[in-house]
């Protein structure tokens, strides 16, 4: 719905905009990491998976409350 075709600054904006009922939480207590690019035209979502492998490049190894080892980028 952005008039300038950008993504949100943080996931809480999706809650206040009524797109999500709440920011999702990890059942094991880790965090999900939303990392928008500097121009907010793309983003990465990162998580700590129990059977994940090597750390990715998503805000440092502790950004997810553990080692972020799964990343999805758009586009």
């Amino acid at each position: 719905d952005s008039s300038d075709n950008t993504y949100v600054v943080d996931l809480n904006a999706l809650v206040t905009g009524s797109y999500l009922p709440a920011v999702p939480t990890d059942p094991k207590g880790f965090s999900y990491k939303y990392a928008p690019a500097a121009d907010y035209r793309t983003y990465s979502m990162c998580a700590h998976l129990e059977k994940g492998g090597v750390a990715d490049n998503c805000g440092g190894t502790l950004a997810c409350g553990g080692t972020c080892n799964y990343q999805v980028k758009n586009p």
Side-chain angles (χ1 to χ4, degrees), residues 27-51:
K28 296 275 188 174
F30 295 103
S31 303
Y32 298 119
K33 171 79 173 155
Y34 169 76
D39 63 0
Y40 300 104
R41 296 200 183 273
T42 187
Y43 65 89
S44 296
M45 291 289 295
C46 303
H48 170 81
L49 301 181
E50 289 82 7
K51 294 187 178 188

